[in-house]
Amino acid sequence: MTRDFADTRALFDLPEGVIYLDGNSLGPLPKAAAARVARTVTEEWGQMLITGWNKAGWMEQPSKTGDRIGRLIGAEPGHVVMGDTLSIKVYQALASALEMNPTRRVILSDTGNFPSDLYMAEGLCRTLGPDYNLKTVAPEQVLEALDDTVAVMMITEVDYRTGRRHDMAALTARAHEVGALAVWDLAHSAGALPVEVAKGGADFAVGCTYKYLNSGPGGPAFIYVAPPHAETARPALSGWLGHEAPFAFDLDYRPGRGIERMRVGTPPVLQLAALDASLDIWDKVEMADIRDASLALTDRFIAGVETACPGLELATPRDHAMRGSQVSFRHPEGYAIMQALIARGVIGDFRAPDILRFGFTPLFINAEDVDKAVAIIKDVMDGALWDRPEYKTRARVT
């Protein structure tokens, strides 16, 4: 294990002259990933052809990689599996949880949740019928909104816009107290901070891997099912690879053992190879050390920006316990400001309606990067360098 993040920084392929503060949206390329994927393409796919499913262990990849993710989120071995997209995994977890609580009809979430999670919940409710509904409250009101009408609480641990962090253990304990199940989205937690799904009592957890975990664009998602539910949760999306014996080709579905039943479609072998290479970096570090470094970097950034740019309003909690690994500021011209920053080599992103969002990954970001970024932000704000037509034209991806 190392606490010297100069060592890990050398393991990423970062463009010269760029300060990359968007690893919370798309992680950068680990240097080993290209070679790992190339080897999978040429030596496995190229030479083994279809026999790679057995000879190269492709079929076991989702579970083996799931256990590597499991270490980072505090899961028990054998209770995380990879595959599909995060939205699919949200749907699976919600559908299974609702079926396990059949006398209730309410999914509780918050207005800070990522819209796709809410869309999946709304769609599932429409499918199940008019008695089912999604209830959303302000993030600060989730605890008091948990009552005996709620079937499932679905919460994203770290708010994608503000970086506000929910208390997983406290909310889950309250959910269980009122007879609800807890589904946690770890999209902005996994790889960013220590997560404890087992200690925190989560019934289900889901997450993506292309952000802090650097699996590349469109990288596979994961799902966690707690041990008490592993043999009883029924997957609504009962795909053939979640079958007890996929190659028996039975016409009737029988769920596989434990977490295997949450598999749906064919594993994304090339993306899993890239993720595997990235996780080799994670094997060199402890999440507690990453968290300490993250808090130091975000504190430094907040202090620097607030001193240099009083026109930007902090949207992220100052309290360490309530903060993920990102810092967000508000400004009415947030989109144009971010485009001006990107043009000058500071890459963050914009989230409507007014959020400038910056992600901090100590594996490749250091204090010098923070200070340089603050200086560039100051220049952009002091000179109103964002006030140009080309920076105000919205691109498809913000």
Side-chain angles (χ1 to χ4, degrees):
M1 295 292 178
T2 181
R3 297 191 67 177
D4 185 352
F5 294 119
D7 292 344
T8 58
R9 183 184 178 101
L11 300 176
F12 288 92
D13 193 356
L14 297 164
E16 191 69 30
V18 167
I19 301 171
Y20 193 60
L21 301 181
D22 210 7
N24 59 320
S25 193
L26 176 66
L29 174 68
K31 288 180 178 177
R36 186 75 58 87
V37 172
R39 187 168 74 240
T40 302
V41 170
T42 58
E43 296 179 16
E44 296 179 11
W45 179 18
Q47 297 302 309
M48 298 178 189
L49 299 170
I50 199 170
T51 68
W53 289 108
N54 291 317
K55 291 181 179 178
W58 294 343
M59 193 59 75
E60 289 71 43
Q61 270 185 311
S63 297
K64 288 178 64 177
T65 306
D67 274 341
R68 300 188 77 185
I69 297 291
R71 182 183 77 83
L72 302 179
I73 64 170
E76 304 89 343
H79 286 272
V80 178
V81 74
M82 311 297 303
D84 317 300
T85 67
L86 178 52
S87 293
I88 295 297
K89 294 309 180 196
V90 167
Y91 191 96
Q92 280 187 288
L94 279 178
S96 295
L98 283 172
E99 186 173 349
M100 291 164 60
N101 211 351
T103 64
R104 301 187 184 188
R105 302 288 186 269
V106 175
I107 299 171
L108 176 68
S109 191
D110 72 85
T111 53
N113 206 346
F114 191 65
S116 185
D117 289 20
L118 302 180
Y119 301 159
M120 298 308 286
E122 289 173 344
L124 178 58
C125 288
R126 286 195 298 271
T127 298
L128 293 174
D131 291 340
Y132 286 84
N133 68 88
L134 169 66
K135 177 182 178 180
T136 58
V137 297
E140 301 82 4
Q141 297 174 345
V142 173
L143 189 68
E144 63 188 60
L146 281 163
D147 58 30
D148 60 10
T149 68
V150 176
V152 183
M153 176 189 72
M154 175 187 66
I155 299 292
T156 296
E157 187 179 17
V158 175
D159 187 306
Y160 77 104
R161 286 176 299 188
T162 66
R164 181 189 187 277
R165 183 186 182 187
H166 282 287
D167 186 331
M168 178 184 291
L171 288 178
T172 300
R174 176 58 180 163
H176 290 168
E177 185 180 311
V178 300
L181 284 88
V183 174
W184 286 91
D185 183 338
L186 308 179
H188 288 273
S189 309
L193 47 87
V195 180
E196 296 288 354
V197 292
K199 290 182 181 178
D203 296 292
F204 297 85
V206 297
C208 56
T209 60
Y210 51 80
K211 300 181 190 297
Y212 292 98
L213 297 176
N214 316 300
S215 66
F222 62 83
I223 185 168
Y224 162 82
V225 181
H229 311 316
E231 299 293 346
T232 56
R234 293 205 317 147
L237 298 173
S238 44
W240 78 298
L241 286 183
H243 192 282
E244 183 181 49
F247 287 89
F249 300 111
D250 290 343
L251 297 184
D252 296 317
Y253 180 81
R254 301 191 314 273
R257 295 295 306 276
I259 195 65
E260 290 291 308
R261 67 185 58 199
M262 291 298 173
R263 294 175 65 161
V264 181
T266 305
V269 172
L270 301 183
Q271 292 271 198
L272 283 169
L275 176 58
D276 196 54
S278 178
L279 292 175
D280 288 346
I281 302 174
W282 292 96
D283 287 344
K284 302 176 188 296
V285 297
E286 294 285 0
M287 284 306 308
D289 294 336
I290 290 174
R291 179 60 170 169
D292 289 345
S294 165
L295 290 171
L297 291 172
T298 50
D299 280 347
R300 189 183 189 100
F301 186 73
I302 290 170
V305 172
E306 288 194 316
T307 298
C309 309
L312 296 177
E313 176 192 354
L314 182 66
T316 299
R318 299 182 191 278
D319 183 346
H320 285 182
M322 294 182 64
R323 185 193 309 165
S325 196
Q326 71 185 61
V327 175
S328 297
F329 286 92
R330 299 185 186 278
H331 192 282
E333 295 290 347
Y335 181 82
I337 293 168
M338 184 56 70
Q339 304 320 300
L341 292 175
I342 292 171
R344 287 158 180 81
V346 176
I347 300 182
D349 59 19
F350 170 79
R351 290 295 177 260
D354 59 358
I355 292 283
L356 294 109
R357 191 175 71 156
F358 304 91
F360 291 84
T361 303
L363 295 179
F364 57 84
I365 294 295
N366 58 32
E368 182 182 356
D369 293 324
V370 169
D371 294 344
K372 288 180 178 177
V374 169
I376 292 171
I377 296 170
K378 176 177 170 55
D379 286 346
V380 167
M381 297 305 295
D382 285 353
L385 303 181
W386 51 267
D387 194 10
R388 294 165 57 172
E390 62 266 34
Y391 295 148
K392 297 183 180 184
T393 302
R394 299 282 179 107
R396 185 171 184 180
V397 177
T398 63

